[in-house]
Amino acid sequence: MNRQAGFRPPDWAVLSLLCLGQLIVVLDLSIVNVALPAIKESLGFSEAGLQWVVNGYAITFAGFLLLGGRVADLIGRRRVFVLGLAIFTVASLAGGLATSPEWLIIARVAQGFGGALLSPATLAILSTTFTEPKAKARATAAWGAISGAGAALGSVLGGVLTDIASWEWIFYVNIPLGLLALAFAFPLLRESRAEQTKQLDAVGAVLVTTALIALVFGAVDSQNNGWAAPTTWGPILAAAVLLVWFTLHESRVASAPLIPLYVLKIRSIAYSNTVMFWIGAAVIAHFYFLSLYMQNILGYDALQTGLAFLPGAVAMTIGAYSGPPLVKKFGGVRPLLTAAPTLSALGLLLLAFVPDDGSYLVHLLIPQVLITLGAGLLMVPLVIAATSGVAPAEAGLASGIINTTRQFGGAIGLAVLATIAASATSARTGDRAASTGDLLAGYHAAFGVGAVFAVVALAFTFGLSTAPPPAAPGSATPAPAKQAESEPEAVPAE
């Protein structure tokens, strides 16, 4: 049975499958963090090489998300969902079977590519399946909760699996989840594509994908060699040139551009993506540094570290699900847009002063709940804003952009904050080995700058107060800008 043959599965089943697909992707952004010491010891990673277990996934994922979203629009969103899921599942098996650093890094890169196909397909299918405003708001809340809480859940699951089994199981756990999602993909999901566009802008895809990968690669290299090193500024300069070339190509050459530039001029999309970048830079990186603080400063083992993240995962889920009813209660999203990044900024600021003998309840629980609750509350209005104002044919593209922005912000934020942390530590140590106090000074610096990132996100939320309403269904151009008066769950504006 399938939907095209007349069978219509319940909405909850479709939404559950889409959330499962997104969960598989976001878990692996953080599930390896707690397991890194065990992976290093087992496979013989160098200190510099170990970061590529994280960055190999993050760079590939961020770099290919835009392409993944556009390919989903063109060749079929269900087809790309299945393809990405299959690649991700096979790569997870390869990761668990890895016997060398090179093998594991290649598997992580393959996971990132599969995730870059899968993630925008889930949001594109959601956007084109749930079109009624209240249903879309509820579905987006569920998707946002999974997207947000997945990072914290990944840390929890990584710690538990590493402690009770072995690090290989952080990859093996994806296999039954992937097979389950594959089994239900064809019965539950309807195929859809953008009929208006029949070709892929190959040149544009190569330009923007290469530019994003180069930019993240350069930022990541700064952790080891500093910003003055050619291996850092060279890729960043190349990325800038490629992005200028991409813009000229899209505006003057491409007959079917990968990103129609009008999309980036829609106020709601421009501001929501800017806010998502900065909140991603602040929040995603904090999981990494909080894990280091718990293990290197407080002496937590993998299981303790993983379980310590559980309240954060719960708080982010509650925040995402609370978004739509709070918007309705307040009659608009302005209170939410103001309060959410403020909570995250406050939590990060508290972490910037944690002592070397911090207690869990005071110094860990309260800050991480503030950070993740704020990020969860912000997720729903931003996702709705980022997918509003475009025609259904562009749903995959809009989904790819907001996904790219979030992961790109997280990757850049982690790279920049890691460099700041390393610089703060080395400024104290000189040539001697770093002490616990030296490491803590680096973590303080990273959390403090992360709080600044959250404040920048807060500043840009004020641009959403005059966001335009969504374009009419099937429209190729956005609706004229005006003060939105639509249903509060559907439009992130007052």
Side-chain angles (χ1 to χ4, degrees), residues 192-387:
S192 65
R193 61 174 60 87
E195 297 296 340
Q196 295 93 327
T197 304
K198 299 295 185 180
Q199 60 182 348
L200 177 67
D201 176 18
V203 174
V206 170
L207 289 173
V208 72
T209 299
T210 306
L212 292 176
I213 291 175
L215 185 56
V216 177
F217 182 90
V220 166
D221 185 77
S222 69
Q223 299 176 42
N224 295 324
N225 300 314
W227 293 99
T231 51
T232 297
W233 60 258
I236 293 175
L237 178 61
V241 172
L242 289 169
L243 287 173
V244 171
W245 185 1
F246 170 75
T247 302
L248 294 174
H249 173 79
E250 297 297 283
S251 60
R252 301 182 181 182
V253 179
S255 58
L258 179 71
I259 303 179
L261 295 185
Y262 86 80
V263 170
L264 302 180
K265 296 178 183 179
I266 299 173
R267 189 179 181 91
S268 63
I269 294 177
Y271 275 92
S272 60
N273 277 276
T274 303
V275 174
M276 185 67 88
F277 175 88
W278 287 106
I279 204 67
V283 173
I284 292 177
H286 107 277
F287 293 110
Y288 176 79
F289 292 104
L290 197 55
S291 176
L292 293 178
Y293 171 72
M294 286 188 278
Q295 294 184 81
N296 294 338
I297 306 300
L298 300 183
Y300 285 16
D301 60 26
L303 180 60
Q304 290 172 320
T305 302
L307 293 177
F309 280 109
L310 187 58
V314 174
M316 191 170 288
T317 304
I318 291 173
Y321 273 107
S322 300
L326 287 176
V327 169
K328 188 174 183 179
K329 178 179 180 180
F330 292 124
V333 298
R334 172 50 48 203
L336 216 58
L337 290 172
T338 302
T342 301
L343 290 174
S344 294
L346 179 59
L348 286 163
L349 187 61
L350 290 175
L351 287 179
F353 296 96
V354 289
D356 58 5
D357 60 347
S359 70
Y360 179 75
L361 289 178
V362 175
H363 299 108
L364 291 179
L365 179 62
I366 294 175
Q368 73 162 314
V369 167
L370 289 173
I371 294 166
T372 53
L373 180 63
L377 288 170
L378 199 56
M379 184 68 66
V380 173
L382 288 186
V383 170
I384 293 177
T387 54

Side-chain angles (χ1 to χ4, degrees), residues 392-407:
E394 309 289 355
L397 172 63
S399 305
I401 292 174
I402 191 65
N403 268 297
T404 298
T405 301
R406 181 171 181 269
Q407 302 308 330

Side-chain angles (χ1 to χ4, degrees), residues 432-450:
R432 64 177 173 83
S435 67
T436 299
D438 299 328
L439 293 174
L440 185 58
Y443 303 153
H444 284 167
F447 289 131
V449 177

